[in-house]
Amino acid sequence: MTAVAATKALFNPLKLGDIVIPNRIQMAALTRNRSNKTVPTELMAEHYAQRARGGTGLLVTEGVLITRQGTEWEAAPGIWNAQQVAGWKRVTDAVHANGSFIYAQLWHLGRVSHPDAPQQKLAGVPVYAPSAISARGGKFRFLPGQPGYVTPTAIEDPTSLIELFRQAAINAKEAGFDGVELHGANGYLISQFLDSGSNQRTDKWGGSVENRTRFPLEVLKALVSVFGNNVAIKLSPAGNLLTEASKLPLSYVALMRYSPYLDAEYDGKKRATVHDTLESYRSYITNSDTKLFLNSGVQAEEAAKLIEEGKIDGGSFGMPSVLVPDLGKRFKYGKPLDNVPNFPLMQIGVGEDPEKWDVGYNDYPAAKYAEDEI
């Protein structure tokens, strides 16, 4: 049985850098919080293998910490030491064995870490950011009093952070990843350098738009020096950065569109400017070899239609990928996405043993298929 007509465009192969993925379905990065003291586990390998078996063309990992940081997610995985690299190698081997491809999303939190978090204390360095300006909000549930974000330390020389990204890319390559995606959205370090509200530096890393885009571009260049044209970036709106990034041999851009669920509210007002990000920023991607994935609330039929119209190259699916291990197959054969989300345990495992944290993680069922659909 062939793909249903409404989603057929999703099932054409797509060349991304040096690889050709079998379809245009991307598993977007979402925090799962299932590592064992920052080391990827066999449970995580099975999680990604399930999604590969289920027909997703390209998997992007949850955010992978490039250095030890005091994140709100204590069980977020890292990629700065040999043990972590070995753990990720099990993940990439499992994905490749099931016929798919996988990128590591490289992640630095910047100012939204906490100096009292155990991992930050082990790091032995301050919480660094472009400027000493605190983010609003935050909730470190594992710390006494559940504090929020605090004022970070302005990094004296940002090139030291660029080197951390470069080393993370080297480690990702050793771990067998097909490429890396730079996390440039959601208010983390890359966004902090781009935003004039969080970056008030007066040196070459701040001030003008050109200066504020310097750090992200230098990070991308460092990643390209390791992975060549197998480097991507995930962005919330950033037109000026896209203009310059298009001069680099990036494999794709994952563009986030507005989502009311991700829009922070302060003093009774939403922070974001609501607009059509695809319409506003598609034209900034001028390199024909750099593909565009659209992320945030995208539906399969919608993605297929946009592909047919030449507006995007693929759909990036976050929550559906968590809830539905066979997402690609369900799209292909018109099966409903009817798994019930286990929100309380989606990002926090059960009990103290991470190896048993499969509830709300790996226990979502696949659909039933006829013999000619398998």
Side-chain angles (χ1 to χ4, degrees):
M1 185 178 294
T2 58
V4 295
T7 61
K8 191 172 182 179
L10 281 171
F11 293 92
N12 295 319
L14 181 66
K15 182 171 172 50
L16 294 177
D18 292 332
I19 64 174
V20 177
I21 60 175
N23 58 54
R24 307 321 183 76
I25 301 166
Q26 180 193 82
M27 175 183 180
L30 281 177
T31 297
R32 275 76 157 180
N33 206 39
R34 292 305 203 282
S35 79
N36 183 3
K37 297 179 181 177
T38 74
V39 177
T41 62
E42 291 289 351
L43 196 68
M44 291 170 62
E46 173 58 22
H47 182 77
Y48 289 104
Q50 285 180 358
R51 276 76 192 158
R53 285 195 297 272
T56 294
L58 177 67
L59 286 74
V60 182
T61 68
E62 61 221 272
V64 181
L65 300 168
I66 65 168
T67 188
R68 200 182 294 277
Q69 298 165 73
T71 170
E72 290 170 89
W73 306 101
E74 279 200 291
I79 196 164
W80 65 81
N81 66 36
Q83 191 177 7
Q84 295 161 343
V85 169
W88 283 119
K89 186 66 168 64
R90 289 191 291 269
V91 172
T92 61
D93 284 348
V95 169
H96 293 149
N98 283 281
S100 191
F101 299 89
I102 184 166
Y103 271 43
Q105 188 190 70
L106 302 184
W107 186 32
H108 193 295
L109 288 88
R111 65 179 182 171
V112 294
S113 291
H114 199 287
D116 293 334
Q119 288 293 325
Q120 193 70 45
K121 287 184 174 181
L122 284 172
V125 297
V127 171
Y128 286 124
S131 301
I133 301 170
S134 176
R136 289 184 285 185
K139 193 172 186 178
F140 292 81
R141 294 171 175 84
F142 54 87
L143 293 178
Q146 300 188 2
Y149 304 131
V150 298
T151 302
T153 298
I155 183 74
E156 183 175 347
D157 180 9
T159 60
S160 62
L161 299 177
I162 296 170
E163 176 57 25
L164 291 176
F165 277 103
R166 189 187 70 82
Q167 185 59 53
I170 292 171
N171 293 347
K173 199 164 193 176
E174 183 180 346
F177 283 101
D178 299 295
V180 290
E181 178 187 281
L182 176 61
H183 195 342
N186 300 116
Y188 296 115
L189 183 66
I190 298 299
S191 293
Q192 291 163 30
F193 270 94
L194 289 169
D195 192 334
S196 60
S198 51
N199 181 356
Q200 296 184 7
R201 301 177 71 97
T202 57
D203 58 8
K204 69 177 184 178
W205 305 100
S208 68
V209 172
E210 179 184 3
N211 282 356
R212 284 187 280 116
T213 59
R214 190 185 308 277
F215 181 80
L217 288 170
E218 290 302 317
V219 171
L220 285 172
K221 290 175 185 176
L223 301 183
V224 167
S225 74
V226 177
F227 264 100
N229 59 350
N230 303 298
V231 173
I233 186 169
K234 184 175 186 177
L235 284 172
S236 37
N240 290 290
L241 176 59
L242 281 173
T243 299
E244 295 303 314
S246 285
K247 298 174 184 178
L248 299 174
L250 303 185
S251 56
Y252 71 82
V253 171
L255 184 62
M256 293 183 68
R257 61 185 181 183
Y258 175 79
S259 169
Y261 303 106
L262 298 176
D263 190 358
E265 182 175 314
Y266 299 112
D267 303 324
K269 295 180 180 180
K270 293 286 190 178
R271 185 176 187 273
T273 300
V274 180
H275 66 295
D276 186 335
T277 55
L278 179 60
E279 181 68 26
S280 299
Y281 301 104
R282 178 66 180 94
S283 62
Y284 288 91
I285 304 172
T286 55
N287 186 335
S288 61
D289 292 329
T290 299
K291 306 304 192 292
L292 175 63
F293 283 84
L294 188 63
N295 174 248
S296 194
V298 180
Q299 304 299 310
E301 294 82 359
E302 176 192 16
K305 185 174 185 293
L306 290 170
I307 291 169
E308 290 173 349
E309 294 172 349
K311 295 181 178 179
I312 67 173
D313 298 290
S316 180
F317 304 92
M319 190 63 71
S321 294
V322 174
L323 301 179
V324 183
D326 54 330
L327 185 67
K329 290 182 179 178
R330 293 205 200 189
F331 284 167
K332 187 172 185 177
Y333 299 114
K335 303 286 186 181
L337 307 185
D338 55 1
N339 286 354
V340 179
N342 185 339
F343 286 116
L345 301 179
M346 188 172 291
Q347 293 178 309
I348 301 176
V350 181
E352 297 180 357
D353 183 0
E355 299 298 334
K356 297 178 181 178
W357 287 358
D358 60 341
V359 180
Y361 187 58
N362 286 347
D363 60 342
Y364 289 110
K368 302 295 184 183
Y369 295 91
E371 287 187 11
D372 62 349
E373 294 176 330
I374 299 175

